[in-house]
Amino acid sequence: MVSKPDPEIDARLSEILQNVKQIDLFMDAIFSFLYRRTDFYHIMTSKTDAMGLPPGAARRLIMQTYLKYEQLKHGVPTEPSETDIPEPLNTVENETNEQQNETSEQQNETVQQPKGKEHLKPSKSNIQQNETKQKTISSALSQADTFNGAMCDTYWWSQSIKDVDIKVAVPHHVRKAKQLDVNIQASSIKVALKPAEPNKTPEVLVEGKLKSQIRTDESMWSLIPGECVQLNLEKRIETWWHAALQGEAEIDPKSINNSQSMNELDEDDKQGFRQAMFDFEQKQQGKPTSKELSAHEMLTKAWDVEGSPFKGQMYDPSVVNISTG
């Protein structure tokens, strides 16, 4: 969903852009603010963390927002060229370094080009892929990956009150999004490997009906080359799911952490949190709180007005006893 333009926000951002005069410096200012004044870069390490985001969530949020306005700019995408950009517009592939890309191209050539009797037999390939999946799952899984979710046979999932993240392990040779067939519907998902040879049946990694409906226009998927496919699904209704897919074992509702990260709070709650943090730091340093500063500001203005017994004198906070409750 595209945000409705806010003239006040536009004016403030325009002022920042005019001051820095360059897009890169403007973006640096935005992310500097997120780093210094929010928990955007704080990574959750356990279910007890009340602040921060799960690993990869911040980067995914940035890319999701970028793709949303790219679609608005260019409209319906045309047939993709042979690049690393996935076929669906709401899809993103995470890049690796040049050495990994070169290795992956060689691996892809080996898998996609049959060489008569030397070509890998399907049974052997399947065994290798299954072993790779298990190794990937055991090495990549962390508590944040199953935050308010669970580890299942072929995938693992986590959730917030607004969205669900599902990760599906892929074989090591899967390095490009065009090797995958990912279908996200309002009530179902399917992740499959495209066959290396024509007329072969795709290998389905995960397929099933979702526990509840999602917003397809606000959902996306990404590939971490050689590791997993990550699906970020926005819930149609903000509620806690007891399972990601129908028919799977449900989690204990009592185990769900209902706390919200700062990014999920509305603007009033965020402002209240920032004020509380400021007041706490001020008290720790023996300085006045926000309410005390506001009271001093009012007294300073009234100190020298006509009729004040202190007219002509500098404001002296030591003679005033301020109680903010």
Side-chain angles (χ1 to χ4, degrees):
M1 182 182 297
V2 177
S3 302
K4 184 179 180 180
D6 188 320
E8 183 178 352
I9 293 178
D10 284 352
R12 293 181 180 179
L13 293 177
S14 296
E15 184 178 354
I16 296 174
L17 187 57
Q18 289 174 2
N19 288 336
V20 298
K21 296 182 174 58
Q22 296 182 35
I23 290 294
D24 56 341
L25 296 179
F26 174 78
M27 296 299 294
D28 186 73
I30 296 296
F31 284 95
S32 173
F33 173 82
L34 292 174
Y35 170 73
R36 293 179 290 104
R37 302 298 298 274
T38 75
D39 63 343
F40 187 75
Y41 284 96
H42 180 79
I43 299 177
M44 301 173 65
T45 57
S46 69
K47 294 184 178 182
T48 59
D49 286 356
M51 294 179 60
L53 297 170
R59 181 176 295 182
R60 183 184 65 250
L61 179 62
I62 294 169
M63 186 57 70
Q64 186 177 14
T65 305
Y66 170 81
L67 289 173
K68 176 172 67 175
Y69 288 98
E70 183 183 53
Q71 182 177 19
L72 181 66
K73 173 67 176 176
H74 300 293
V76 179
T78 58
E79 188 69 20
S81 58
E82 291 294 318
T83 65
D84 287 344
I85 300 177
E87 294 172 10
L89 186 64
N90 62 342
T91 304
V92 158
E93 179 174 357
N94 297 327
E95 296 292 340
T96 56
N97 56 44
E98 294 180 1
Q99 183 177 1
Q100 288 176 319
N101 286 336
E102 291 175 358
T103 303
S104 66
E105 290 176 0
Q106 295 173 358
Q107 291 172 334
N108 287 336
E109 290 176 0
T110 301
V111 173
Q112 295 174 1
Q113 297 178 5
K115 298 182 180 179
K117 296 181 180 179
E118 296 179 1
H119 182 60
L120 291 175
K121 296 181 180 179
S123 58
K124 183 177 179 181
S125 176
N126 290 338
I127 293 173
Q128 291 177 339
Q129 290 175 3
N130 290 334
E131 290 177 351
T132 303
K133 289 179 189 176
Q134 295 301 322
K135 291 179 181 178
T136 301
I137 291 174
S138 60
S139 62
L141 192 61
S142 67
Q143 280 189 307
D145 290 321
T146 55
F147 181 74
N148 286 337
M151 175 71 194
C152 300
D153 291 338
T154 56
Y155 66 92
W156 56 100
W157 67 283
S158 61
Q159 66 173 320
S160 69
I161 191 65
K162 295 183 178 181
D163 57 20
V164 175
D165 285 338
I166 298 178
K167 291 185 176 181
V168 184
V170 298
H172 184 70
H173 73 267
V174 177
R175 297 283 173 170
K176 297 182 181 295
K178 62 185 180 181
Q179 295 175 261
L180 297 164
D181 181 13
V182 180
N183 188 6
I184 299 176
Q185 300 295 328
S187 58
S188 65
I189 59 168
K190 178 181 179 180
V191 179
L193 295 177
K194 291 182 179 179
E197 300 178 21
N199 303 323
K200 292 290 185 179
T201 304
E203 180 186 350
V204 177
L205 302 178
V206 166
E207 182 177 19
K209 291 185 177 181
L210 295 167
K211 195 67 176 177
S212 187
Q213 290 199 334
I214 61 169
R215 300 181 185 275
T216 55
D217 57 336
E218 296 293 333
S219 299
M220 63 179 290
W221 68 272
S222 60
L223 170 66
I224 301 178
E227 293 186 15
C228 66
V229 173
Q230 178 170 302
L231 293 81
N232 175 240
L233 313 175
E234 181 170 319
K235 299 175 180 177
R236 183 171 292 278
I237 299 175
E238 293 186 8
T239 184
W240 295 108
W241 292 12
H242 295 168
L245 299 179
Q246 296 182 21
E248 294 284 0
E250 296 189 350
I251 62 174
D252 182 0
K254 295 180 181 179
S255 68
I256 295 177
N257 186 337
N258 294 308
S259 61
Q260 291 180 287
S261 73
M262 189 172 179
N263 292 314
E264 295 175 329
L265 302 177
D266 59 34
E267 196 55 41
D268 290 339
D269 290 336
K270 287 182 181 179
Q271 183 60 35
F273 174 80
R274 296 188 188 105
Q275 181 174 322
M277 292 297 294
F278 173 80
D279 290 344
F280 176 77
E281 292 179 1
Q282 290 290 97
K283 286 183 178 180
Q284 291 291 100
Q285 301 175 32
K287 297 179 180 180
T289 63
S290 55
K291 290 184 178 180
E292 292 170 342
L293 288 173
S294 179
H296 281 302
E297 184 178 356
M298 293 177 60
L299 287 171
T300 301
K301 293 178 180 178
W303 195 264
D304 198 36
V305 299
E306 194 66 35
S308 170
F310 303 104
K311 183 173 176 59
Q313 303 177 33
M314 292 188 64
Y315 173 67
D316 183 6
S318 64
V319 301
V320 181
N321 182 19
I322 296 177
S323 177
T324 60

